[in-house]
Amino acid sequence: MHTILLKVTALFYLVGALAYLHFIFTLNERSAKLGRMLLLIGVLLHGVGFVARYFVAGYTPITSLFESLSFSAFAIVCVFLAFELRYHLRVLGAFVAPLAFAFSVSAAFLPGEVRALAPALNSYWLPVHVILLFFGNAVFAVAFGAAIMYLLMEKELSTRRWARSSSGCRR
């Protein structure tokens, strides 16, 4: 069930990313709202998938590559939605949502069978440590998206200034 939920979640992340990309090119607020709603539905389904996998596996599902990529996508979307709620940076979704989609699709193509937990990983601190690590990495991923966004905006502004100043010199 959890692998089916991951594939459905990846679809929601894809359509949400496309809605945010549409927002960038058209500045249509409805596209940004649709993108946010799709990502919110996707992250809720993703959370249900994690809870289902937890009950099937009997441990926090963060130990395999499949689980790590899936949880990374989940954490990235959670952090982005928190940033969007706080700072209203809708345009950032066009840079972050595709990354979450890529992680979730990568996880969806990996074998998702539940394996027994290695004895070395049987610790109460493992879930706390790894979950905080993934959310820290998600903050870096959102910052990466913001940096790319900033560089593109700065390039656009500098080319417009150059075009205005050169057109002013010709007169």
Side-chain angles (χ1 to χ4, degrees), residues 140-162:
F140 279 121
V142 171
F144 169 75
I148 297 298
M149 179 184 72
Y150 171 79
L151 289 173
L152 291 174
M153 290 174 65
E154 191 271 333
K155 181 180 178 187
E156 180 69 24
L157 287 174
S158 66
T159 57
R160 283 187 180 182
R161 283 188 196 142
W162 183 81

Side-chain angles (χ1 to χ4, degrees), residues 14-163:
L14 171 64
V15 179
L18 292 174
Y20 275 112
L21 287 170
H22 184 262
F23 169 70
I24 279 187
F25 292 114
T26 64
L27 296 178
N28 184 350
E29 289 292 326
R30 292 177 67 196
S31 295
K33 288 179 183 178
L34 177 65
R36 180 181 38 227
M37 185 60 65
L38 290 167
L39 288 184
L40 185 60
I41 292 169
V43 83
L44 290 174
L45 287 174
H46 213 157
V48 169
F50 276 115
V51 170
R53 188 163 176 101
Y54 175 81
F55 284 118
V56 168
Y59 58 86
T60 307
I62 50 174
T63 57
S64 69
L65 182 60
F66 168 82
E67 296 165 345
S68 297
L69 286 172
S70 179
F71 194 79
S72 291
F74 175 77
I76 288 170
V77 174
C78 286
V79 168
F80 164 69
L81 289 173
F83 269 69
E84 186 181 8
L85 180 68
R86 174 71 172 103
Y87 299 109
H88 306 290
L89 290 173
R90 292 177 297 279
V91 71
L92 186 58
F95 299 94
V96 175
L99 185 63
F101 168 70
F103 279 24
S104 61
V105 164
S106 299
F109 283 114
L110 292 172
E113 71 270 354
V114 176
R115 296 186 202 138
L117 188 63
L121 299 177
N122 194 9
S123 168
Y124 292 110
W125 288 107
L126 177 75
V128 173
H129 171 77
V130 174
I131 288 171
L132 289 175
L133 172 107
F134 278 117
F135 274 100
N137 285 341
V139 170
F140 279 121
V142 171
F144 169 75
I148 297 298
M149 179 184 72
Y150 171 79
L151 289 173
L152 291 174
M153 290 174 65
E154 191 271 333
K155 181 180 178 187
E156 180 69 24
L157 287 174
S158 66
T159 57
R160 283 187 180 182
R161 283 188 196 142
W162 183 81

